[in-house]
Every structure is written in structure tokens, then in C-alpha cells.
Amino acid sequence: LTVIAERKTVLPLIPPYIAGFVAFLGFVVWNGGIVLGDKSNHVPVIHIPQVYYGVAFATAFGWPVLFTGRHGIFRLFKNIYLRSFWTKWYTLRTIFIMSFILFTTWKYTIHHPFLLSDNRHYTFYIWKRLYMFHPAVPYLLAPVYYFCGYAWYVRLGQDNSLLNVCLFCGLTMVALIPTPLLEPRYFIVPYLILRILIPTTKKALMMEAVWYALINWGTMAVFLYKERWGVDGVIRFMW
């Protein structure tokens, strides 16, 4: 109804988006698919756990913003607890969501051959030393996925309408679920949009800047001083 009432303002803004969408469809037709490069190893699949990896990625990088919301970290934890277990309905809903996470982890986890084919990437060590440490580990991480996802949902809701939150979550799922490989590059655009949607304080920005600097410092240190050897000689660590 708001769109209809504000049509004179909204309609002139639509053509650029339509042009971009049409150009994208033209590229897909011309390229024979959405994948650039090796299409055989990047075939679209149903990879629901990619969403769980995405919220974990967002939490690992964005915790300074997540935990410095309007009411602070303790209010955030309390809010999640109350929304999860305060009533019988909330408890049943939480059990259903957790069961869904466990089932989709069992049914749709993909051990992509690229994950363990190159030890120059973070994902190699995450997969080998965490997810493959024990068969139960992917399932033990289900509460972590639940908390991270719910925390971002609450945090987004502090500064955005329910429609905006649902649109972001839905479109992020559409973007991530078809991707077969656990790879940070798939999470970057959704994460940047997530950050744009959340206004932050100077304190949070400073914490975020320091955290990113530490990550970059660690990555560069490994790149420069922790050589690896391959068939062609020295190889360097990269994302």
C-alpha cells in the first residue's frame, strides 16, 4: 500500500534496477550459466549448511558490531534466551529450528574436493582441523549456528523494519544455498550489505578496525614467513 501511495517517488527509481537485472540475465544466457571459469566443480546444488557457515562468518568478523547494539551484549543474550524458551511455544519453535539445523547438516553437508586440495587457504584448516576432527563436530556446532543467526536477526531488527530483515535473510539464502564450496568470497557481499544495514557507534567502529587490522596482520605474517612447499617450489598462504 505504501508503494502505491508513493508511486510517483518509487517508480522512477525502478528502471536502473531492471536494467541491471536484464543485463545479468543476458550474461547468464551468453555464458551458459552463472559460473565463471571451471563450471564442472561449481554446479549449483542444495547446500543449506552454507547459510550456517555464513552466519558464523558474519559473527567472526562482525562481533564488535553485533555485541555493541542498542542495549548491549547482556541484553542481547537475554533477548535471545527469552525468545527461545520463555513460553512453551517458543521452546517448541526452538526445538523445531534446532532439529532442522541438525537434519540439514546431516543431509546437505557437502565435502567438496577443493576444500582439502590446497593447504594455502583458511578453509582447508577449518575443515580439516575442526569439521573433520570428529564426526559429531558439525552437529555440536548447531547451537552456535542458532545463536549467531538469532543474534543477527535481533540486531538487524533494532534498526530495520521486519520487511527489510526478512528480505535480507531471504535473498541471502537464495545467494548462498546454491553454492557448493565453503569459501569466504561467497559471504563477502551479504556481509557488506549486513553492515550497511546496521548503524554503529564510534566505539564499535574502533573495535572493528582493530579487529580487522589484527586479522590482516596475522594473514600477512603467515603469507610472508610461513612458506609452504609444492611441486613448483615455495607457495604462499592466501585467503
Side-chain angles (χ1 to χ4, degrees), residues 28-60:
V28 171
V29 173
W30 172 78
N31 187 56
I34 195 173
V35 177
L36 290 172
D38 185 6
K39 296 183 177 65
S40 61
N41 285 298
H42 295 84
V43 178
V45 293
I46 299 176
H47 190 196
I48 298 175
Q50 190 81 310
V51 177
Y52 312 149
Y53 309 148
V55 295
F57 173 92
T59 305

Side-chain angles (χ1 to χ4, degrees), residues 52 97-107 138-140 142-143:
Y52 312 149
I97 295 173
M98 286 295 299
S99 300
F100 179 82
I101 294 174
L102 291 169
F103 173 77
T104 51
T105 298
W106 167 69
K107 188 71 173 177
Y139 304 100
L140 293 175

